[in-house]
Amino acid sequence: MREKTDRPIPQRPTASIRRELAALGRLPRKRLGQHFLADAQIARRIVDLAALQPMDRAVEIGPGLGALSDLLVERVGALWLVEVDSDLAERLRSRYAASPHVHVVEADALVVDFAALLGPGAPAVVVANLPYNVATPVLAALLRQSECFARMVLMLQREVVQRLVASPGSKAYAALSVLTQYAAHVRPALRVGPEAFVPRPKVESEVAIVEPYRQPPVAVSDPKLFRRLIKTVFTQRRKQLSNSMRALCADAAALLLGAGIEPARRPETLSLGEFATLSNALAEKEAVAKPAGQQTTDRQTTDPNPR
Ligand code: SAM
């Protein structure tokens, strides 16, 4: 258990980030989405949003130079830092060598088995300034393993947060919106401008609080089929459902009518509940068509896999 201290927040202005990288003989790596947080107040606000308790277990994805990790180290009982860049992982290992509750994991967050990594214990809290280029797949990977996590405080591209919370009929409403809203409650919490990072990204950022559901908000009998349906219809979001669903069902119009959904509607207008109804109708139709024993099962009933 760590004690929360009121030490002054370490400042990490632009020059110091450049210096720290230079000491490693490095420049920021674009392909790893390396935009380091240079604003110590923002770093503190992000960590405050995680509402951590001294006995909590936390995971940080992409700790980089430690802007968030330096604060997390003092607030939790155990901390896992998952960093794919070996120079940075090495630096983190020596930076926290005197803190036995900190575990530096040199790995790609996309392939980490968090249940195996964290072992038995209470679900962990994720805190991360995610690399933009893989933020959506990382979110999908975290939600696929949502039993490991109590909540996630994630800095993402603002446009992505808008998609995560988008309502039917809005421009931002996409497959990512439906699949994420099936798996978790998302709340935008803090907007951050490009000036807070080194180097400056071209986009605005936003911190979102993501709380995985233990029980999805709508009943879906076959989550795999639900994902397939969402992905299929949103590849042609402007097309009428009776057309875009043809790849899934020969008589799509009849299926839609049976589910109480007007066949001429476009996917971008359907609510999560309507998608669940439609998916269940499709699952029922497939179950009738398939002989018993050939039906698919899906053990991970809350797997959203927005990819
Ligand atoms: N947390 C630091 C901060 O706020 O200043 C760095 C954030 S930077 C936006 C993203 C970090 O994620 C970098 O350190 C980068 O090396 C790391 N990263 C990129 N892809 C990753 C992946 N697939 N798995 C783990 N870390 C990754």
Side-chain angles (χ1 to χ4, degrees), residues 17 31-38 60-69 82-85 88 107-110 128-134 138 155 197:
I17 289 180
R31 78 182 162 79
L32 293 180
Q34 291 181 346
H35 295 279
F36 300 100
L37 194 54
E60 185 184 355
I61 311 288
L65 293 168
L68 300 173
S69 338
V82 182
E83 174 57 65
V84 76
D85 184 316
L88 298 182
D108 179 345
L110 288 172
N129 169 15
L130 287 178
Y132 294 143
N133 42 344
V134 289
V138 168
M155 173 115 70
F197 305 91

Side-chain angles (χ1 to χ4, degrees), residues 65-304:
L65 293 168
L68 300 173
S69 338
D70 281 353
L71 301 170
L72 291 169
V73 162
E74 304 209 334
R75 297 204 189 180
V76 293
L79 175 64
W80 286 263
L81 302 173
V82 182
E83 174 57 65
V84 76
D85 184 316
S86 50
D87 293 339
L88 298 182
E90 180 55 40
R91 183 180 176 280
L92 291 161
R93 274 191 288 270
S94 61
R95 189 174 184 83
Y96 303 120
S99 303
H101 67 299
V102 178
H103 313 281
V104 178
V105 182
E106 188 177 327
D108 179 345
L110 288 172
V111 298
V112 172
D113 175 345
F114 285 99
L117 180 71
L118 301 175
V125 179
V126 179
V127 180
N129 169 15
L130 287 178
Y132 294 143
N133 42 344
V134 289
T136 315
V138 168
L139 173 62
L142 295 173
L143 287 175
R144 267 199 304 276
Q145 303 175 70
S146 64
E147 68 285 353
C148 296
F149 307 115
R151 63 191 171 283
M152 313 172 191
V153 177
L154 305 177
M155 173 115 70
L156 297 153
Q157 194 175 327
R158 180 143 192 269
E159 209 180 285
V160 172
V161 174
Q162 286 170 335
R163 270 194 282 144
L164 296 181
V165 299
S167 307
S170 68
K171 224 171 117 187
Y173 195 56
L176 181 66
S177 324
V178 183
L179 293 169
T180 306
Q181 290 167 25
Y182 172 62
H185 178 261
V186 181
R187 179 166 67 84
L190 177 66
R191 286 169 71 160
V192 183
E195 65 286 351
F197 305 91
V198 175
R200 277 182 180 224
K202 289 199 179 82
V203 295
E204 297 280 325
S205 304
E206 186 149 16
V207 179
I209 300 178
V210 179
E211 291 173 313
Y213 293 124
R214 296 298 164 228
Q215 196 66 42
V218 292
V220 168
S221 59
D222 183 343
K224 248 187 200 165
L225 183 63
F226 176 71
R227 278 196 300 281
R228 193 146 59 90
L229 167 68
I230 305 299
K231 286 177 185 176
T232 304
V233 297
F234 272 102
T235 50
Q236 298 166 309
R237 54 182 286 135
R238 306 288 306 152
K239 261 199 174 173
Q240 297 186 358
L241 282 164
S242 53
N243 289 324
S244 58
M245 280 191 64
R246 282 227 180 96
L248 296 168
C249 172
D251 196 358
L255 182 88
L256 283 152
L257 284 171
I261 295 164
E262 172 53 46
R265 282 178 65 186
R266 300 174 203 286
E268 59 193 4
T269 69
L270 260 63
S271 67
L272 174 62
E274 287 176 311
F275 274 122
T277 305
L278 187 54
S279 166
N280 293 343
L282 189 57
E284 209 170 296
K285 190 174 164 62
E286 287 197 352
V288 171
K290 262 187 215 166
Q294 283 187 22
Q295 289 157 24
T296 53
T297 54
D298 189 349
R299 288 188 301 118
Q300 279 183 290
T301 52
T302 55
D303 179 355

